[in-house]
Amino acid sequence: MATLLTELHQLIKQTQEERSRSEHNLLNIQKTHERMQTENKTSPYYRTKLRGLYTTARADAEAECSILRHALDKIAEIKSLLEERRIAAKMAGVNSDNDPPRKTMRRGVLMTLLQQSAMTLPLWIGKPGDSPPPLCGAMPASSDYVAKQGDKVAARVKAVDGDEQWILAEVVSYSHSANKYEVDDIDEEGKERHTLSRRRIIPLPQWKANPETDPEALFSKDQLVLALYPQTTCFYRALIHTHPHRPQDDYSVLFEDTSYADGYSPPLNVAQRYVVACKENKKK
């Protein structure tokens, strides 16, 4: 971890150094345009000069972009290592016979963690011409995709009253021979474990989609989805009211609710992290 953090620090320093180095060239571009406006002409000299300045500016921007991508990759490595440690600590607690039972997490703490998870979901930043990958925003997982241990998913389980519901769960394991997952209800901290077939699992997005560059990776208005109801750990059917307009924006959704005259709740905000395609297309 210390090595990764040191490498990230160096990349951040390189980014700032690259940005500072390119500022002189950007200032030259600005001054050249100001001279052209003052002289009210575009001579071959200025055209040639600007062409060279813009070529340099593009090269500088690409160099800075490359460093930033390396930094993002390093952050992903750090988050992955932290997740591995969290899972290892959790499994050690589950498998230990000597330790006392773990207490259920307070709901306020859990809700805060879910919000943080949504806010820190990485934004997909592709290169020019790249298409959003599977599990970016509304993009579905590939047909052979298997969620990893520790991944958060929407899981369809039977409730105490016998009804079925979609809950937020964490993958414990996957059996290729049985084609089934073992998942923990995120709200029960390991007290409630379910064995479910693949069709009862929907992986959550691994990246946020950028509305400005990849609008096709967002759910469209009036599309039927499953969305995590605010301050709960359950997914319910909803219609997209408005989709995000900026990377940091949430969806606005209308939950199915028979207590309202039109059958839907007022618009509520739900983060991209917790909105997935609804497998049941027909309205109940």
Side-chain angles (χ1 to χ4, degrees), residues 72-90:
L72 289 172
D73 290 341
K74 199 64 61 178
I75 292 171
E77 286 184 56
I78 292 170
K79 291 180 70 175
S80 178
L81 181 57
L82 289 172
E83 181 67 4
E84 288 175 11
R85 289 182 176 181
R86 184 191 68 81
I87 293 171
K90 178 181 176 181

Side-chain angles (χ1 to χ4, degrees), residues 231-246:
Q231 299 302 308
T232 76
T233 58
C234 291
F235 291 84
Y236 297 98
R237 292 156 58 96
L239 293 179
I240 297 295
H241 180 58
T242 59
H243 58 69
H245 296 289
R246 299 172 300 173

Side-chain angles (χ1 to χ4, degrees), residues 2 17-18 35 38 61 105 110 153-154 161 166 204 244 255 274 278 283:
E17 290 168 0
E18 186 67 36
R35 290 195 197 100
T38 301
M105 188 183 302
L110 177 59
V153 297
D161 58 8
W166 287 95
L204 298 190
F255 285 97
Y274 303 121
C278 184
K283 181 178 176 182

Side-chain angles (χ1 to χ4, degrees), residues 93-114:
V94 169
N95 296 328
S96 175
D97 296 328
N98 299 324
D99 295 336
R102 294 199 312 172
K103 296 180 180 179
T104 301
M105 188 183 302
R106 286 187 301 148
R107 175 155 292 270
V109 175
L110 177 59
M111 293 300 110
T112 299
L113 290 175
L114 295 183

Side-chain angles (χ1 to χ4, degrees), residues 99-242:
D99 295 336
R102 294 199 312 172
K103 296 180 180 179
T104 301
M105 188 183 302
R106 286 187 301 148
R107 175 155 292 270
V109 175
L110 177 59
M111 293 300 110
T112 299
L113 290 175
L114 295 183
Q115 287 179 336
Q116 290 176 348
S117 176
M119 290 175 61
T120 58
L121 187 68
L123 179 69
W124 167 254
I125 304 174
K127 296 179 180 178
D130 284 353
S131 297
L135 295 180
C136 171
M139 305 300 288
S142 58
S143 58
D144 58 348
Y145 178 80
V146 174
K148 304 186 299 296
Q149 183 185 38
D151 281 359
K152 304 299 187 294
V153 297
R156 188 174 185 178
V157 302
K158 275 194 175 181
V160 177
D161 58 8
D163 290 340
E164 293 196 334
Q165 61 181 2
W166 287 95
I167 64 168
L168 180 61
E170 180 176 313
V171 174
V172 177
S173 64
Y174 177 75
S175 170
H176 288 274
S177 57
N179 209 27
K180 289 187 177 181
Y181 285 98
E182 275 200 339
V183 301
D184 282 344
D185 184 341
I186 201 71
D187 202 18
E188 295 294 334
E189 277 299 305
K191 292 182 180 178
E192 190 72 24
R193 183 158 293 181
H194 305 272
T195 301
L196 304 169
S197 62
R198 289 183 64 170
R199 64 185 178 83
R200 288 179 169 267
I201 297 291
I202 304 176
L204 298 190
Q206 293 183 353
W207 296 276
K208 283 186 283 192
N210 188 342
E212 297 166 356
T213 57
D214 303 300
E216 72 276 17
L218 294 169
F219 292 108
S220 55
K221 181 176 172 59
D222 294 330
Q223 187 169 350
L224 183 63
V225 296
L226 289 173
L228 195 70
Y229 198 90
Q231 299 302 308
T232 76
T233 58
C234 291
F235 291 84
Y236 297 98
R237 292 156 58 96
L239 293 179
I240 297 295
H241 180 58
T242 59

